[in-house]
Amino acid sequence: MRLKPEISSPLASVLLGALTLTALTGLTGCADPSGRARQGTAGAEPPDAAGSVDLGARITVFTDRITQNGHYRVPADSDRRAVTDGVRHLLDGDHAAAERSLAGVGYALRTLADRQDGRRYAEIADATPEGETTRGWGRVYLDLHGPARWSVQVPHPSADQRTEQLGIGLLRGAPGGVLILAGAHRNAAANGDAAANGDGADADAADVAHRADSVFAAVAAVLADRGLPAVQVHGFADSSLPDRDVVVSPGKGDAGLPAGRRLSAALGREGLRVCEVWRRYCGRLEGRTNVEGDHADAVRVPFLHVEHSRTVRMDDGLVAKAVRALTEVVRRWSAGRG
């Protein structure tokens, strides 16, 4: 029987203290001699005097900085282990242990309150803008109002434009969510050891949907191992499948097929045209080779690979419709149902 992750009651008081500390000292907990808080992540909105942020704006600022001209460094095993240990400790309710593990690899754990509804989230991210821009390992956001029940994954921000908006909407739309964001464009140049051979062997190093050696894949595997079902959101060019708005797939396996059928029906009620991979061929948009989907299949956890046309992603109203449909599925997962 798989254990469901929970944020324990002792963590609530710890996190409340962290939230207060954040409000007083800024994102890094440090202030300069003038009393001005130093911001831990360049360009990201700092908390206001009440310790709150517009979570959607904060994440969008982060993803807007991700470009094809950016950089990416393949993490070492020890790097991935430090971040995933931090995630495990946080899920287990040990905030202090999570902070220690993350600090060892230059990551920070912050507690944020979203101005939209006051909900609190843990943010796991590079502690410095330099690390964020040169390593490109991404971020994790965890809803702190109860046990973690499901995840939404955004592996190609910038490359699949505005897919982060689907992730933000879904995280806000149902309790128990974990949002995993890649930190580099899928075509970003590998640097450091990953590019040492110079022969192009790591040209796809930043494509975290197809590389198992990323922080993104490692965090997704930790959540799947704990039984959390997942939605992974992607985008496709309208010309790739001009008669459809969304492609829904359970990935390599079929554990996510019941959820996929429910999602397809919900999208249809929103007026979106769906290609169901269990009924017809949907081109190269079926997510059969996705490493996160492969791992979910191996541990028999539901996984949905969902592609959205450019027309859908560039229209706020259509994004809202897609999010409403996705939310119908994850709310069942929030309630502990398949």
Side-chain angles (χ1 to χ4, degrees), residues 96-268:
E99 285 188 317
R100 286 194 299 271
S101 181
L102 293 166
V105 72
Y107 257 58
L109 174 61
R110 305 176 179 99
T111 302
L112 307 172
D114 187 8
R115 288 193 197 114
Q116 176 171 288
D117 57 12
R119 296 178 67 85
R120 293 181 302 116
Y121 298 87
E123 177 189 76
I124 294 174
D126 246 300
T128 66
E130 292 78 14
E132 199 155 67
T133 57
T134 60
R135 301 193 297 187
W137 293 347
R139 294 181 176 183
V140 180
Y141 289 87
L142 175 70
D143 179 10
L144 295 175
H145 291 261
R149 299 289 193 185
W150 54 273
S151 75
V152 55
Q153 306 169 3
V154 184
H156 298 145
S158 183
D160 290 356
Q161 288 179 290
R162 301 192 82 231
T163 47
E164 78 282 350
Q165 300 306 316
L166 296 160
I168 293 165
L170 197 51
L171 182 67
R172 282 171 158 171
V178 182
L179 170 61
I180 313 173
L181 287 162
H185 192 284
R186 67 185 299 172
N187 297 326
N191 58 56
D193 294 340
N197 57 19
D199 61 5
D202 280 288
D204 67 341
D207 185 357
V208 299
H210 299 98
R211 293 280 296 236
D213 58 354
S214 68
V215 167
F216 184 99
V219 172
V222 165
L223 300 179
D225 288 346
R226 293 193 173 218
L228 272 68
V231 174
Q232 190 174 101
V233 292
H234 292 261
F236 67 91
D238 290 359
S239 58
S240 297
L241 205 64
D243 62 338
R244 294 291 185 268
D245 300 308
V246 183
V247 178
V248 179
S249 169
K252 179 180 179 180
D254 60 5
L257 186 54
R261 293 184 190 278
R262 285 191 291 272
L263 175 58
S264 179
L267 289 164

Side-chain angles (χ1 to χ4, degrees), residues 249-257 277 286-298 300-301 303-305:
S249 169
K252 179 180 179 180
D254 60 5
L257 186 54
V277 304
E286 300 188 344
R288 304 292 193 187
T289 61
N290 182 286
V291 298
E292 291 79 25
D294 286 350
H295 186 82
D297 178 54
R300 300 299 298 161
V301 168
F303 176 88
L304 293 178
H305 181 280

Side-chain angles (χ1 to χ4, degrees), residues 72-80 135 137 194 205 213-216:
Y72 178 76
R73 178 160 67 82
V74 176
D77 289 347
S78 57
D79 298 324
R80 295 193 299 273
R135 301 193 297 187
W137 293 347
D213 58 354
S214 68
V215 167
F216 184 99

Side-chain angles (χ1 to χ4, degrees), residues 2 31 35 71 85 162 171 177 222 288 296 299 304 315-316 334:
R2 299 188 186 93
H71 297 284
D85 283 350
R162 301 192 82 231
L171 182 67
V222 165
R288 304 292 193 187
V299 296
L304 293 178
D315 184 306
D316 287 345
S334 295

